[in-house]
Amino acid sequence: MLVGRHAEFTALTAAVSAPPALIVIQGEAGIGKSRLVRELLAAVPDTSALLIGHCQQLHDPFPLGPVLDAFQHHGDLIETDRLSPVVGSLAPLVPEIADRLPAPPERPADQREARHQIFRAATELLEHVSPAVLVLEDLHWADTVTFDFLAYLIAHQPANLTVIVTSRTDLGTTPVGEAFARAPAGRTKSVRLAPLDVAEVGELSRHLLGVDVPDAIAAGLYEVTGGVPFVVEEVLRTLLARLPAAEIPSHPDALAALSVSTALRDVVVQRLTTLDASAREMIDAAAVIDLAIDPALLAEVTEYDGRQVAAALTSAHAAGLLHEHEGRIRFRHVLAQQIVYEATPLPIRQWWHARVALVLEERNDPMYSARIAHHYQRAGRIREFVQWAEAAADEAVRHGNEAAAAEFLREATVDMAALSLDDRVRIATKLGRVAVDGLAHAEAAPIITRLLDSQQLTQAARGELRFALGRLYRQQGFARDGYGEIERAVDDLYDRPDLQARALAVLAAPETVVDVPLEVHLARSVQAEEAARRAGSPEVELGVRIARASLLLEQGDPSAWELIESARHDIVLLTQPREHARAAINWAQGALHIGDVKRADELLGEGRSIAERSGSPRLLEVYELVCAMVDHAAGRWDGLAERTHDLASRAFGFGAASIEARYLDCLMLGSLGSTVEAADRLADLIRDCEEVGTAWPLIPARAALARVRLILGDAGGGFDEAAAALDQIQRKGMWTWAADALVCLVDAAAALDRTDDVRARVEAIGAHARQVEAPAISVAVTMCDALIAQLDGGGDTAEELMSRARSMAHAAGLVQVTAQATERLGDWRCTRGAADGPGLLTEALTIYGRLAARQDIARVTRTMRRHGVAVPYPWRGGRPAHGNDLSRREREVVGRAAAGRTNREIAAEMFLSPRTVETHMSNALRKLGLRSRDELDADVLEIEADD
């Protein structure tokens, strides 16, 4: 009988019956996760295959262990002739079904590509055996690659597949949510199981005992067990061993003998006392080995024969310590194993761990390296632990599991003093290599830093460690520190030209660090090419060419596109999907930085499909961010505010991505009318960028803050921020990045009557812009020339230049910039009485309406009213997507607020309570898409009234 889970069972049964579905069941140990899964599986139609895998409490260098285990017993469902050759790559990993799979294809040399091949194969096999339910138990112990596979599977989920996972909540956070984050809306059903209440404990007790249980006894059981079903069951089983079921309700003293904190421990220890000495010895050893018991291994470890082991296991089963689960003998629960383990004296436990490690060593199988390391660590044998942890890390790297490798190496360096210098250098160097992809940045960096303090390092070792440390700092978002460490590594890496070339290629990227001049980046690029030639590696040479193309692209050099086209068709790049995808990301960002949105779109489309094939969720996460950036520039704003807010709230694996996501979110906030909040958050972002020393998005964030300051009526603040951005651009020499800051500077100068102060700057930047192919700065310079000409009274020239800027922006795909140029031109044409002026303003309004850009809408409607131009509504073919209509009362409240009334004044005028006014104000702001009353604008409210 299932107790206390009826609502969860009903909801999840509906999900199971309507695949594709994703079900997450979470809760503390013993709460009933597996019990609920069993009930769900009993409700699955007989036509569905049930594939069940268990994650083990052990770092595993072999990825996808629980998924591969789930396939073991289902060879009868496989029809070989209906499978593609790629599924054959599973044959070496699941020998139990190898005879049912195609011949293994050639394994790719690149481990990441090989892992992606496994992802594709496992997904296809799941589709092949569908309709099916895939159950992965204890996902909190899963390796990182299993989480990556889940993210991949969800993106390619077969239509008739249901995925059910269980995860504990008492062991800290796990990446369960990240793996399921990309699921389509409505597909994921998640439940968190709570302990049973007193009434439910009573119901469970009545079911288990078969007799009525008074409320007082149920309450006592609840106090002792905390309402955890497994503990309730174990306590009752123990009481049944002492008393007949009918007598338990009348003996509250028996229950009172069990203390709250030790109830389950007392139960398990009491059962241990019923075993004879040899059986107790074998159960102690079994608790050291694993949750599931391998009788053959147990016999080998304890040196008892098979019959004696069987007898011991039978006794433990009869005592309630073990049970049969899916054809194997296991401890009844992880808590039971833990209690037996802790009840074994420490010296005995350590002896058993060392004994297990020795037995596994004799099997001479790399797949046991992680388990051997684990047992030597628990045995306190540091030297042997380090040896096998390093072996496990090497095995993990061979299988593309950098995260597991990083964890093995991190643990191996916990007691560095116990290792020789050569061991420390070798292990720390390996840790530096894998920690970037393994996301162990914060843990690895201090280890490498301490080792660099040693005076006994060789030059090459010091260089490689510094390069690794610099990459880790960059991964964390510390741009200046990362750049400095890599710069210091270059000379020490002379005898490692492959690494030196890669280090120099990193230093050639201009957007990563502030105040390093372009000339330095160009020099580093040339040095990288020289080092690549010395290395003689096609992969290294290609990496340097990719970086060179990015550098030329950022500075608007047209030869960049020749390099990019050449690299895109290079056979080396085509055989490395992950590097291809990364290159496309870099080039798309570079194209975006110079305002070539259409080319950025093209590169992004190509790269995204490659990234999906590469099987890297973290790479796809960066792609998601860059897609949002391109969508912003291209005017694809439907749902973009929600996407950017979600991205800004994420913890990216790459620190720079987190900063860029915050910048994009600030842009959307400002455009949608939340200017006060945008200003505050941009100021915070600028401070953070200055602290870590990153050039991008520091410079565009300054330009964005300058624009927001202007909107808020602070022309002086806008001028200063724009000037500060341009000063940094001048020090950097990257004039292609000056577009937004330059236009804002001229606008601020006009508002302050300081146009003469900016003429020379516009002319100088214009001279640079004419030497490059960068649409954004070309448009900006043309627009600024038009603005200055207009201020000088040259109306014809101004309009001609602004018309040219408008055409250039449209050709580049810069939608919002096109609308702004159209608006300015329309304003000037209306002032001169030209017939096309109103149409230009209406065109700008239509674009802003499509974007739902509230700030721009409010401004252009003011301009239209000033010129007597009718404001047509609806101006975007429908209502802007910013919420529901305001009620009459809400409109009255915000109208008074926009006029400057306080809530108390509004309450008095409308004969309402202040609390009622606060409620109306809160509802109205939500519907208007605003964050505070400071952002209320009379023109925006008028739009609401007219719409």
Side-chain angles (χ1 to χ4, degrees), residues 31-54:
I31 204 68
K33 301 181 294 296
S34 298
R35 174 79 171 90
L36 181 56
V37 169
R38 289 200 300 274
E39 292 292 332
L40 290 175
L41 295 184
V44 171
D46 293 338
T47 54
S48 294
L50 303 181
L51 294 84
I52 302 174
H54 297 270

Side-chain angles (χ1 to χ4, degrees), residues 21 106 261 272 318-319 436 446 477 727 765 775 784 787 807 837 845 874:
E106 182 178 352
S261 60
L272 281 172
V436 172
D727 288 344
I765 296 177
C784 289
L787 292 170
S807 299
L845 175 62

